[in-house]
Amino acid sequence: FQGIPYSLEECCYSPLYLLSEGAHLIRSLFIATDEHSVSILPNLPPEFFSGRFLSLQCPFGTLDLEWSKKEIRRVVLR
């Protein structure tokens, strides 16, 4: 810590904390995982009518996802 006191309460005010929480919110638009299931494109906004999401880390592997016209075209689970 290089002599700088660190507490968990201060991490909520860090810009890096806000960036990581924003990344989690954006990821939740495309995939939602549970202990035993995966929901693909659960909250897809109309602006993302086609796209690709590569190397998504899931609890049971890595997922590559591709969609077009708001329909899933390809899913690869490793």
Side-chain angles (χ1 to χ4, degrees):
F1 296 105
Q2 299 178 351
I4 300 171
Y6 178 79
S7 68
L8 292 175
E9 293 81 37
E10 292 176 9
C11 75
C12 297
Y13 301 110
S14 169
L16 297 177
Y17 175 76
L18 293 175
L19 184 63
S20 65
E21 285 299 311
H24 289 294
L25 287 173
I26 291 171
R27 184 179 185 263
S28 71
L29 295 173
F30 303 103
I31 187 169
T33 58
D34 197 2
E35 221 175 90
H36 302 288
S37 65
V38 173
S39 298
I40 298 173
L41 304 178
N43 302 315
L44 188 66
E47 293 83 13
F48 295 112
F49 55 88
S50 66
R52 248 178 14 177
F53 210 158
L54 303 174
S55 299
L56 288 162
Q57 297 297 321
C58 296
F60 39 81
T62 304
L63 187 73
D64 293 339
L65 175 62
E66 184 176 339
W67 69 94
S68 175
K69 297 180 185 175
K70 296 185 181 181
E71 293 183 9
I72 297 171
R73 296 292 178 202
R74 186 179 316 161
V75 175
V76 178
L77 178 64
R78 289 185 215 101

